[in-house]
Amino acid sequence: RAGFKFDNVKRNELLGEKGYGLPTATKTGTTIVGLIYQDGVILGADTRATAGPIVADKNCEKIHYLAPNMYCCGAGTAADTEFTTNMISSQLALHSLNTGREARVVTAMTMLKQYLFKYQGHIGAALVLGGYDVSGPHLFSIYPHGSTDKLPYVTMGSGSLAAMSVFESRWRPGLSREEGIEMVKDAIEAGIFNDMGSGSNVDVCVINKGRTEYLRNYSKPNERVTKEQSYKFKAGTT
Amino acid sequence: MDSINIQLPHTIQRPSAAFSSGATTRTTQPLVTGTSVVAFKYKDGIIMAADCLASYGSLARFRNEKRLLAVGDSTLVGVSGDISDYQHMEHILDNLMTEEYYMDDGQKLGTKSIYKYISNIMYNRRSKVDPLWNSYVVAGIDNGEKVLGFVDLYGTTYQSATIATGFGGHLAQPILRKRVEGREDEITEEEAVKILDECMRVLFYRDARSLNKLRRAKVTAQGVEISEPYSLETNWDFAESIIGYGA
């Protein structure tokens, strides 16, 4: 019998009604963005991972490596974005060796969307895929059900509206590198400060022809204040 | 007649069984609705904007609706949510102003009083589980002080230098907080209009229940002024570079 079996979905729903629901998956809450600038693409993400109302990770990495010329931001269920991007990254490496060529962004996009569609939205991965290949810079947004959009600027996650308001006010074609990075930083900061599911720091990734710069914690607008006194106990206290 | 299955807007709440036994229920779901209202304090007073659309679910039903109201000559009220409930409040406020006129005591109802009055009505209705399904933005200058407040269908109230209802809370508020917070007294009318238009433009782009026909109003020491409807310039150049959705 061909096709994926969704029997357990029904089982899980019934169990949920009886009070045996699944534990809340760690969601990335999240603000992730991508934009096309003069020389390539710039990706951005916040660094807060939430489990319900609790901040599970204050400085997680949401910009995932796919290939030397391609990175992917992930929003939604953290495990899903992590494992999905890892899997496609492996497949891309093998593909690249098989073909003797540098991987193309559309290849990753197709692999991701076909995988997500197969699981009919049950894999909660909302992705912003960006990269630079032989045919130039590309930027895609990929939704959990498997649909894709090819756009010059995208945002995803709970902070996407805050970030999009920044892009809609300021984006124009032909941005310089400095302007692009500044805009990405401002968009992520809009999410960090106005969306409760997003917070902490800003990660940026700049991808252009032949060069990728992963700028981890490019901006840290939420550093903890220096503690007012030392709370160290004398050796031998207990 | 055969029952028709209409796809209702997602904001509906089904009338609870407990209340079908005698208590009067009116608004359990908003029908004709207005979207965001955006407002903030600036140098001369408060500026506010709302589009001219009253939607019927996904239908853009009434395209010349007034959602900005002058109450007396020193208070400006903006409304989002159910239009029939707004019209009811309009009626109540009109009666209030008439009573005040009859009293003829040389006193005028200040913005703070009108704000309190609306808040009390809203909380009272919520407590009877029969809300007026709206979010109000009340603005004015009371004794030289700029007042800008929010009241919603639950009776939640708060005052801030920047207020935005509905989608405006998600799309406009981040812009307002960055551009206005901390420098209200520096912003000239010219800059205020620019900031407001930027917010309304983003809302037109991204709120699927908005319209590019809006009114703007200001309340200053000179009184309330509500503009005629106008439209914003939009830029769709980004679309030229888009072909398809993938490979």
Side-chain angles (χ1 to χ4, degrees):
Chain A
R1 281 185 54 223
F4 187 72
K5 292 197 201 117
F6 290 92
D7 303 343
N8 282 340
V9 174
K10 189 121 202 200
R11 175 205 72 178
N12 292 346
E13 267 168 27
L14 288 167
L15 284 171
E17 280 162 31
K18 292 188 160 66
Y20 298 102
L22 290 165
T24 48
T26 304
K27 282 206 137 219
T28 51
T30 303
T31 309
I32 51 174
V33 305
L35 61 68
I36 302 266
Y37 79 108
Q38 204 165 278
D39 306 322
V41 291
I42 306 177
L43 302 175
D46 76 305
T47 64
R48 174 183 282 188
T50 52
I54 297 170
V55 178
D57 189 343
K58 293 185 278 186
N59 203 188
C60 73
E61 287 186 32
K62 301 187 191 181
I63 304 185
H64 307 281
Y65 168 88
L66 280 181
N69 60 328
M70 250 191 269
Y71 276 76
C72 188
C73 306
T77 308
D80 289 342
T81 57
E82 191 67 48
F83 277 97
T84 302
T85 48
N86 256 4
M87 204 187 77
I88 267 73
S89 174
S90 299
Q91 286 182 12
L92 280 170
L94 288 168
H95 187 265
S96 178
L97 288 163
N98 244 305
T99 57
R101 293 173 168 81
E102 183 191 60
R104 297 190 192 204
V105 189
V106 287
T107 311
M109 181 214 72
T110 306
M111 288 174 174
L112 286 163
K113 73 146 72 176
Q114 287 178 354
Y115 177 67
L116 292 172
F117 182 75
K118 187 169 71 184
Y119 288 90
Q120 289 292 294
H122 292 290
I123 294 186
L127 311 165
V128 168
L129 167 68
Y132 200 111
D133 59 33
V134 282
S135 46
H138 298 279
L139 178 65
F140 295 99
S141 58
I142 306 170
Y143 293 82
H145 286 261
S147 64
T148 55
D149 284 320
K150 189 176 202 311
L151 293 162
Y153 55 95
V154 290
T155 66
M156 303 276 261
S158 54
S160 63
L161 275 75
M164 186 51 89
S165 72
V166 172
F167 282 173
E168 288 289 28
S169 304
R170 287 157 49 181
W171 189 89
R172 53 180 170 74
L175 292 162
S176 72
R177 185 201 144 87
E178 288 71 36
E179 286 171 322
I181 294 177
E182 189 66 13
M183 203 176 292
V184 161
K185 173 181 99 52
D186 284 349
I188 299 294
E189 283 190 357
I192 287 173
F193 293 116
N194 295 109
D195 171 45
M196 304 226 282
S198 310
S200 298
N201 316 123
V202 184
D203 286 350
V204 175
C205 188
V206 186
I207 311 174
N208 51 31
K209 188 173 159 81
R211 183 165 188 235
T212 307
E213 292 161 82
Y214 182 72
L215 306 168
R216 168 74 169 155
N217 288 2
Y218 173 77
S219 167
K220 295 175 93 167
N222 286 299
E223 295 214 74
R224 187 183 188 156
V225 297
T226 348
K227 288 195 197 167
E228 287 174 36
Q229 36 168 305
S230 168
Y231 296 86
K232 208 169 178 186
F233 286 97
K234 252 195 299 213
T237 303
T238 54
Chain B
M1 117 166 199
D2 294 333
S3 63
I4 300 164
N5 260 345
I6 305 163
Q7 195 57 36
L8 301 165
H10 74 282
T11 44
I12 276 181
Q13 283 176 13
R14 306 202 178 290
S16 77
F19 287 88
S20 60
S21 55
T24 323
T25 53
R26 294 197 183 97
T27 311
T28 51
Q29 42 159 314
L31 293 167
V32 179
T33 57
T35 186
S36 330
V37 177
V38 180
F40 60 93
K41 292 184 187 171
Y42 73 109
K43 187 157 164 229
D44 308 329
I46 293 134
I47 194 169
M48 192 186 292
D51 67 22
C52 301
L53 180 64
S55 311
Y56 184 60
S58 62
L59 173 66
R61 183 67 183 87
F62 303 104
R63 290 145 61 99
N64 195 205
E65 180 67 32
K66 290 196 184 75
R67 298 196 290 115
L68 301 174
L69 173 72
V71 181
D73 45 28
S74 60
T75 306
L76 171 65
V77 177
V79 201
S80 64
D82 189 88
I83 297 297
S84 70
D85 285 347
Y86 159 51
Q87 288 174 352
H88 178 66
M89 183 64 85
E90 228 181 332
H91 183 72
I92 293 176
L93 292 170
D94 196 36
N95 283 352
L96 178 75
M97 299 314 284
T98 305
E99 290 286 306
E100 273 306 293
Y101 179 76
Y102 284 159
M103 282 228 249
D104 196 23
D105 55 5
Q107 311 245 28
K108 281 209 185 122
L109 281 174
T111 306
K112 283 203 202 139
S113 312
I114 292 170
Y115 179 47
K116 212 45 180 297
Y117 188 65
I118 296 176
S119 317
N120 285 156
I121 293 174
M122 298 298 277
Y123 184 67
N124 229 271
R125 290 291 298 258
R126 155 241 130 96
S127 301
K128 295 193 281 190
V129 196
D130 185 14
L132 289 168
W133 207 290
N134 300 111
S135 294
Y136 289 95
V137 181
V138 184
I141 303 187
D142 199 328
N143 264 353
E145 190 197 333
K146 293 178 210 148
V147 175
L148 179 59
F150 167 98
V151 196
D152 70 5
L153 71 169
Y154 303 105
T156 312
T157 55
Y158 70 92
Q159 292 179 263
S160 173
T162 62
I163 302 268
T165 68
F167 255 92
H170 296 99
L171 289 163
Q173 194 68 282
I175 298 174
L176 293 175
R177 283 177 179 156
K178 188 105 198 248
R179 310 261 256 136
V180 175
E181 233 158 54
R183 44 186 296 267
E184 301 103 66
D185 299 322
E186 284 169 40
I187 303 174
T188 59
E189 182 173 332
E190 203 190 324
E191 195 192 344
V193 171
K194 272 216 202 92
I195 297 172
L196 200 68
D197 281 353
E198 197 180 303
C199 291
M200 297 309 282
R201 191 183 345 264
V202 174
L203 282 167
F204 174 59
Y205 285 146
R206 294 287 167 173
D207 177 359
R209 301 288 183 264
S210 63
L211 190 69
N212 189 7
K213 183 181 173 199
L214 58 145
R215 278 194 180 83
R216 139 180 110 230
K218 65 178 185 192
V219 54
T220 58
Q222 281 72 49
V224 183
E225 248 181 74
I226 303 177
S227 79
E228 283 304 293
Y230 67 102
S231 291
L232 299 162
E233 297 257 313
T234 54
N235 187 314
W236 303 88
D237 290 346
F238 76 92
E240 286 169 2
S241 62
I242 300 172
I243 303 172
Y245 54 88

